[in-house]
Amino acid sequence: MYVTLKDGIHDPQGKAVKDALSVLGFNGVEQVRVGKYFELDIAETSLETAGPLVNGMCDQLLANTVIEKYRYELIEK
Amino acid sequence: MYVTLKDGIHDPQGKAVKDALSVLGFNGVEQVRVGKYFELDIAETSLETAGPLVNGMCDQLLANTVIEKYRYELIEK
């Protein structure tokens, strides 16, 4: 799952990364947005039930839904 | 781009997330790996030249290649 700041929310970490890249000579970077990335192994038998489960995890713990949005991909193993 | 710890490298942050999810009642989670996620807007005209550029950024700044690996997707806008 990917947790990123909502559009329009100021991202000082991204700005810092952009500036650091600029110092290193990477000048073509127009914008950087930094987010969090989680890989979870879940003992869930079906993709149908895994979706609501992951939504619950994001809403309750992994994302601050006031300022952050999230999306996820489910991969069956 | 996605920066994650290499396989075999201990991920205490992921362990903490797993434990926190367990406290919240999400018991089916077997493993959590936490990583970083960057969205960059790059003023680069071709996907061919953007690839090496992004590799350079990851190697020099965004990833600690001793313990982290990275992958990325290039999307033309």
Side-chain angles (χ1 to χ4, degrees):
Chain A
M1 43 187 94
Y2 313 92
V3 179
T4 49
L5 287 170
K6 284 180 180 171
D7 298 332
I9 303 286
H10 186 59
D11 182 357
Q13 196 183 357
K15 178 76 169 58
V17 170
K18 179 174 175 288
D19 293 346
L21 284 172
S22 179
V23 168
L24 287 172
F26 297 104
N27 295 310
V29 181
E30 288 166 354
Q31 197 194 18
V32 180
R33 306 280 286 173
V34 181
K36 285 170 283 185
Y37 169 72
F38 300 93
E39 268 181 26
L40 274 76
D41 293 346
I42 305 176
E44 191 67 36
T45 42
S46 84
L47 291 181
E48 285 72 38
T49 55
L53 196 70
V54 170
N55 276 323
M57 290 178 193
C58 287
D59 286 332
Q60 289 182 49
L61 181 73
L62 302 175
N64 173 359
T65 52
V66 177
I67 56 166
E68 292 173 328
K69 60 186 175 180
Y70 61 84
R71 63 190 169 82
Y72 57 84
E73 291 157 19
L74 299 171
I75 300 163
E76 207 155 9
K77 277 190 186 176
Chain B
M1 43 187 93
Y2 314 91
V3 179
T4 49
L5 287 170
K6 285 181 180 172
D7 298 333
I9 303 286
H10 186 59
D11 182 357
Q13 197 183 357
K15 178 75 169 57
V17 169
K18 179 174 176 288
D19 292 347
L21 285 171
S22 178
V23 169
L24 287 171
F26 297 104
N27 293 311
V29 181
E30 289 167 353
Q31 197 194 19
V32 180
R33 305 281 285 174
V34 181
K36 287 171 281 184
Y37 169 71
F38 300 93
E39 267 181 26
L40 274 76
D41 293 346
I42 304 176
E44 191 67 36
T45 43
S46 84
L47 291 181
E48 285 73 36
T49 55
L53 197 69
V54 169
N55 275 325
M57 290 178 192
C58 287
D59 287 331
Q60 288 183 48
L61 181 72
L62 301 175
N64 174 359
T65 51
V66 177
I67 57 166
E68 291 173 330
K69 59 185 176 181
Y70 61 85
R71 64 191 169 84
Y72 57 84
E73 291 157 20
L74 298 171
I75 300 162
E76 208 155 9
K77 276 191 184 175

